[in-house]
């Protein structure tokens, strides 16, 4: 690579990374997430869990997805992008946890941001992602969903059966991170 190109490529990469990590965006009417009174496994105490705002739109795989349709199940919401290296690293683990838990009342919902439809479809195909993903290339659907910093990927929320945010990960999540949270939520009484 030409010595003149290296600084330009480096500067572009830094700008891209800075944009991905910015979680200080404010959206009018958005729901803020303030962790407090955590229980075991890093869960928020049930009385401190905020309700999820509405989240629906077109799916990467076609059709529509709607978070409200998943009420009554525990839902793992994962924000990803095909160009995100940590997203590519965490996806096999997410698929494994999905395979182990989806028959026990745990649903998964991906949210693909800042991607082309073709790149998103290739990611889903190449990583054998069995659960639906909301296609949100302009981050319009996620912008009002304040618990997920709209410019941070990967990010993961875990929603309890009542539609309340119980846990949040603002980094790549592993099965070892996710399993204790799901085990504790599955043990909570249903209402």
């Amino acid at each position: 690579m030409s010595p003149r190109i290296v600084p330009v490529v480096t500067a572009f990469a830094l700008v891209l990374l800075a944009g991905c990590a910015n979680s200080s965006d404010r959206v009018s009417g958005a729901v803020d997430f303030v962790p407090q009174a955590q229980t075991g496994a890093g869960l928020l105490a049930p009385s401190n869990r905020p309700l999820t705002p509405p989240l629906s739109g077109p799916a990467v795989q076609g059709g529509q997805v709607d978070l409200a349709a998943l009420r009554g199940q525990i839902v793992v919401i994962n924000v990803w992008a095909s160009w995100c290296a940590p997203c590519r690293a965490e996806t096999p683990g997410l698929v494994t946890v999905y395979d182990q838990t989806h028959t026990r009342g745990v649903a998964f919902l991906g949210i693909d941001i800042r991607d082309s439809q073709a790149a998103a479809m290739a990611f889903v195909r190449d990583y054998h992602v069995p659960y639906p993903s909301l296609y949100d290339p302009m981050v319009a659907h996620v912008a009002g969903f304040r618990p997920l910093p709209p410019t941070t990927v990967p990010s993961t929320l875990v929603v309890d059966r009542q539609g309340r945010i119980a846990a949040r990960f603002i980094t790549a999540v592993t099965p070892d991170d996710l399993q204790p949270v799901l085990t504790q939520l599955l043990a909570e009484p249903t209402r």
Side-chain angles (χ1 to χ4, degrees):
M1 186 178 292
S2 161
R4 294 181 67 197
I5 294 175
V6 171
V8 172
V9 171
T10 302
F12 176 76
L14 290 174
V15 168
L16 182 62
L17 288 174
C20 295
N22 182 2
S23 63
S24 63
D25 299 333
R26 289 284 170 206
V27 176
S28 177
V31 175
D32 281 319
F33 182 85
V34 180
Q36 54 186 323
Q38 291 187 345
T39 64
L43 290 177
L44 287 175
S47 61
N48 291 322
R49 295 177 186 168
L51 282 173
T52 58
L55 181 67
S56 63
V60 168
Q61 302 89 332
Q64 296 284 311
V65 293
D66 188 351
L67 180 59
L70 301 174
R71 182 70 57 94
Q73 299 180 71
I74 295 162
V75 183
V76 176
I77 301 172
N78 176 256
V79 179
W80 59 273
S82 65
W83 45 263
C84 165
C87 300
R88 291 190 301 268
E90 79 174 350
T91 298
L94 289 170
V95 170
T96 296
V97 175
Y98 169 84
D99 289 341
Q100 295 169 347
T101 62
H102 78 276
T103 60
R104 295 173 40 211
V106 178
F108 278 61
L109 174 62
I111 304 174
D112 172 50
I113 64 171
R114 294 190 307 243
D115 253 338
S116 70
Q117 183 76 29
M121 286 294 295
F123 183 94
V124 167
R125 181 190 63 244
D126 294 348
Y127 287 92
H128 309 286
V129 178
Y131 48 86
S133 286
L134 177 77
Y135 181 58
D136 194 10
M138 302 305 292
V139 197
H141 297 285
V142 177
F145 204 83
R146 190 68 216 145
L148 292 171
T151 57
T152 301
V153 291
S155 296
T156 302
L157 290 179
V158 183
V159 178
D160 69 14
R161 291 182 183 102
Q162 290 76 40
R164 301 173 303 184
I165 300 160
R168 177 176 78 162
F169 301 90
I170 307 298
T171 184
V173 66
T174 68
D176 289 342
D177 298 326
L178 202 49
Q179 284 289 11
V181 170
L182 296 177
T183 298
Q184 188 167 339
L185 286 173
L186 285 165
E188 289 183 356
T190 58
R191 294 183 188 158

